[in-house]
Amino acid sequence: MAAATPHSPPPQQLSSPFLEYIRAPGGLDKVVLRGRRSCSVEIRLFGGQVTSWKNDHGEELLFVSSKAIKPPKPFRGGIPICFPQFGTQGNLEQHGFARNRFWAIDDNPPPLPVNPAIKAFVDLILKPSEDDLKMWPHSFEFRLRIALGAGGDLSLTSRIRNTNTDGRPFSYTFAYHTYFSVSDISEVRVEGLETMDYLDNMKGKERFTEQGDAIVFESEVDKVYLAAPSKVAIIDHDMRRTFVVTKEGLPDAVVWNPWDKKAKAMQDFGDSEYKHMLCVEPAAVEKPITLKPGEEWKGRLGLSAVPSSYCSGQLDPLKVLHG
Ligand SMILES: O=P(O)(O)OC[C@H]1O[C@@H](O)[C@H](O)[C@@H](O)[C@@H]1O
């Protein structure tokens, strides 16, 4: 489907030293949030997708494939929004249509209780088109706030409201499909999911229980961890960096790395890029979320990147996870 190009908002809507609207050809308009020093976040209106998150030193923290392609195909990397369907669980395209649509700047969002110290944020909104309603016959308003905290942490807050006028509820599955940039996948461990039950997408979604210590990576992984803790740590040994992922309203967490064979089979992914990325995706997969008309759901993703020299014992992942 040809993606309609967005109409750029009048500049006064974006009058802030912390926020810049950049027009680009081919519907690639984006918003840049600027924080302290070299911290920044870039969001494409196409897909409402975060495509860059940089730290104090201007280092890119999210993975974006060198072969990522342009609209109307989804962009391989950053934080794609999977809605109203995760994966192939339904009759829509994989991961639903929200990541393949142009979102608009929401210049009058309903108030969202946030930390008043956060100045760098933008509100986006997605509503279904006539074509979308033919595929998924439900009216909704999907409001997404992306915010860059004073310390460089990134948060995404989704508010999805059922605006059906026919009295019908709707159910959906959802994920923040987050691609983390890592130095070397074989030097990465994930803390917080050990002993959790998961559905293994590589074994017919059969249910298993994770072993008792940190998860490490030696081959393709595609697992949906169920009722996962609200905090998960991704420890990048070589980079001496730990990503702390927090989630609210999202019971599950998907962990995915395509490894070599699947990497070669993906057109928009470099053959060896699997070594430098890991997806940990706060999600609602096992139990779809159901909203009655007028009801609103809120789902939040919090990301921070903390220095960690795990080998020296300076970082205790349990302290990171449990405060
Ligand atoms: O290529 P897509 O549609 O972005 O999906 C990539 C991966 O997304 C993951 O979340 C799924 O668990 C995988 O099964 C899937 O392959």
Side-chain angles (χ1 to χ4, degrees):
M1 166 190 307
T5 50
H7 43 278
S8 307
Q12 67 271 14
Q13 275 178 343
L14 301 171
S15 54
S16 147
F18 307 101
L19 187 146
E20 182 185 0
Y21 187 94
I22 298 177
R23 290 182 175 76
L28 297 182
D29 288 17
K30 65 183 177 183
V31 171
V32 181
L33 304 180
R34 299 199 193 287
R36 75 177 185 193
R37 290 202 282 275
S38 300
C39 293
S40 68
V41 176
E42 289 188 10
I43 307 104
R44 269 192 183 179
L45 292 197
F46 183 71
Q49 190 165 341
V50 172
T51 55
S52 171
W53 170 38
K54 290 182 179 171
N55 66 9
D56 270 352
H57 310 293
E59 294 166 325
E60 180 56 66
L61 300 170
L62 297 177
F63 168 85
V64 169
S65 170
S66 60
K67 297 191 161 184
I69 44 189
K70 307 241 178 310
K73 293 299 285 176
F75 184 73
R76 175 79 56 202
I79 309 177
I81 302 283
C82 302
F83 172 82
Q85 171 188 299
F86 176 78
T88 53
Q89 292 183 197
N91 57 3
L92 299 175
E93 62 202 281
Q94 171 147 297
H95 291 332
F97 53 78
R99 66 176 180 169
N100 295 336
R101 296 290 181 276
F102 281 100
W103 293 54
I105 302 278
D106 183 1
D107 47 16
N108 185 24
L112 184 64
V114 284
N115 173 351
I118 294 181
K119 304 273 185 275
F121 65 88
V122 65
D123 290 291
L124 303 182
I125 185 164
L126 177 71
K127 294 179 189 173
S129 66
E130 288 310 311
D131 285 341
D132 295 336
L133 288 166
K134 288 184 193 128
M135 284 191 300
W136 198 66
H138 298 295
S139 297
F140 64 84
E141 288 176 357
F142 185 158
R143 287 181 162 83
L144 175 63
R145 171 169 294 188
I146 300 116
L148 176 60
D153 50 317
L154 168 59
S155 68
L156 276 68
T157 305
S158 292
R159 291 183 286 177
I160 297 173
R161 178 179 294 278
N162 178 338
T163 53
N164 276 340
T165 53
D166 58 7
R168 287 191 306 150
F170 64 58
S171 298
Y172 61 92
T173 49
F174 180 98
Y176 287 114
H177 196 300
T178 312
Y179 284 78
F180 293 95
S181 173
V182 298
S183 54
D184 175 352
I185 187 64
S186 56
E187 295 292 326
V188 168
R189 45 194 299 146
V190 170
E191 303 268 355
L193 296 174
E194 48 281 3
T195 74
M196 305 307 300
D197 279 6
Y198 64 87
L199 307 177
D200 193 335
N201 285 332
M202 295 174 65
K203 293 177 181 155
K205 295 186 174 29
E206 205 182 322
R207 190 180 184 119
F208 297 89
T209 300
E210 189 55 77
Q211 32 86 17
D213 51 36
I215 301 167
V216 292
F217 301 91
E218 290 136 6
S219 60
E220 182 180 351
V221 169
D222 191 350
K223 299 178 178 177
V224 182
Y225 288 86
L226 306 174
S230 60
K231 255 190 199 179
V232 174
I234 303 163
I235 297 150
D236 184 335
H237 187 77
D238 285 356
M239 287 297 280
R240 298 181 181 286
R241 174 189 292 154
T242 293
F243 290 109
V244 180
V245 183
T246 55
K247 58 189 181 66
E248 292 163 36
L250 294 157
D252 308 326
V254 181
V255 176
W256 177 62
N257 185 295
W259 221 255
D260 54 352
K261 230 162 76 246
K262 184 163 280 181
K264 284 194 177 69
M266 290 155 63
Q267 300 303 316
D268 59 347
F269 194 83
D271 290 358
S272 62
E273 286 188 321
Y274 71 93
K275 295 176 185 166
H276 307 297
M277 54 71 70
L278 176 66
C279 283
V280 175
E281 312 163 27
V285 175
E286 185 192 29
K287 298 187 180 76
I289 295 164
T290 298
L291 296 176
K292 296 192 195 75
E295 276 189 327
E296 179 175 86
W297 167 81
K298 190 164 108 172
R300 187 179 180 280
L301 166 70
L303 300 179
S304 60
V306 298
S308 64
S309 54
Y310 188 62
C311 54
S312 69
Q314 274 177 12
L315 172 96
D316 171 359
L318 294 182
K319 205 182 286 172
V320 166
L321 293 174
H322 306 302

